[in-house]
Amino acid sequence: MAGTSLMKTQQTMCNAATSSMAIGWHRLVYKLASLLIISICSRTEAFTTPRSILRLASTPSELLASTMSTGTTSSVGIRMPINENYRGLKRVHSSPDVFIIEQFLDEASCDDLIEKAREKGTSRSPVAYAGWTEDIKELLGLAASGPVSWFSILGAWYEAQGDVEASVPSLVLHALRNYAVLFAVALVGIAAFTKFRADSLQNLRTSSSTTLDDLSQSGAANFVICASDLLPASSEMPAASFFEAPTVISYEKDQALAPHYDANRSADVEDANRGGQTLATLIVYLNDVQQGGTTKFGKLPAAVDYEFQVKGDRNLNIIPTKGDAILFFPADKYGAFDERTEHEGCPAYDEKWIARIWRHTDRVPPPFGLSSESIQTHL
């Protein structure tokens, strides 16, 4: 009877493993294939979603959204409030709102930002893999409930073949031992895959950049002052407390930034140390660019009445003009990701310089943000 019971147990475990094999294997392969497709496509600047530190969207749903989006996102609410009376403010697209602010910075401030960036020195602009925590969690879940489980059971079943002294408890112990080993192997494999994907995403950005957090410098101080007036805070803290330090970015000939998002679906976890979700992106053009270097929103229609819209392009595509700024909202005021704000820095033919401030949900502490002492002293 004991032998019969053991055989039945083995058969049941084998059947369970076989049944879960098809489901678990299918889901795991789908997830890995989706991520690999995005990685491969990113080399040709298609379906890519970086952030700078770029928030790189990586889930299959975002891949699908990139290819099938019709420009509507029902879950996105209203954007954060801004100073609607700011001088030179001009809306070039509604829902989602995209603004141009003419003559946002004076010529001297633009030149100072470039000069100070050159003095400090720039390095290859970083790219961060946004959503990596969700991907690891999902891959581990798929592996644990699929291949790891059924290989553990099948391995225990195979080891019990021909063992006349085998018992149900020993079979279970074999399965648990196999599970621990295989889960450790899966963990190492998933970590290696995540590292490979993160490294490959760096190819999406070829610019160089540096941060300027010294507000004793006139260009950086004026940029933060103007940004604070445009993006006022609703709390008692200064508006600049919610800013990342100004980042100056340079593009040389043929350098570009592939289509990407500035927000992060996993911001609550991955960006907790830098103020959480990105609610607004403010970019000021520091020099005139005669050819190339435009800022393109691939999911938004052209601004036909705007002078510096690229002629003949069906999408919103802005020609850089020294001192002008562009403002848009990667997420709504509550932090909900807005996929419609996907944008890119098109290849530059002439040298291009920009400065950028990200406005976050919460206070941004140093080294990402500005120190309270610096804000109080210079603003």
Side-chain angles (χ1 to χ4, degrees), residues 335-370:
F337 184 95
D338 192 344
E339 66 186 30
R340 299 171 297 176
T341 60
E342 181 191 69
H343 58 288
E344 64 181 295
C346 296
Y349 296 100
D350 300 321
E351 185 181 45
K352 171 188 173 182
W353 287 85
I354 64 173
R356 182 202 64 225
I357 284 178
W358 274 321
R359 204 281 194 182
H360 288 270
T361 304
D362 303 312
R363 178 180 177 275
V364 184
F368 304 109
L370 301 163

Side-chain angles (χ1 to χ4, degrees), residues 298-320:
K299 296 183 178 181
L300 303 182
V304 293
D305 296 328
Y306 179 57
E307 177 183 0
F308 295 104
Q309 158 74 37
V310 174
K311 307 303 180 186
D313 195 320
R314 66 177 185 175
N315 294 120
L316 182 61
N317 198 354
I318 304 301
I319 299 171

Side-chain angles (χ1 to χ4, degrees), residues 109-119 248 286-287 353:
S109 295
C110 292
D111 293 342
D112 186 69
L113 284 165
I114 294 175
E115 179 183 350
K116 295 302 188 292
R118 281 177 168 155
E119 289 177 358
V248 178
L286 303 180
N287 68 316
W353 287 85

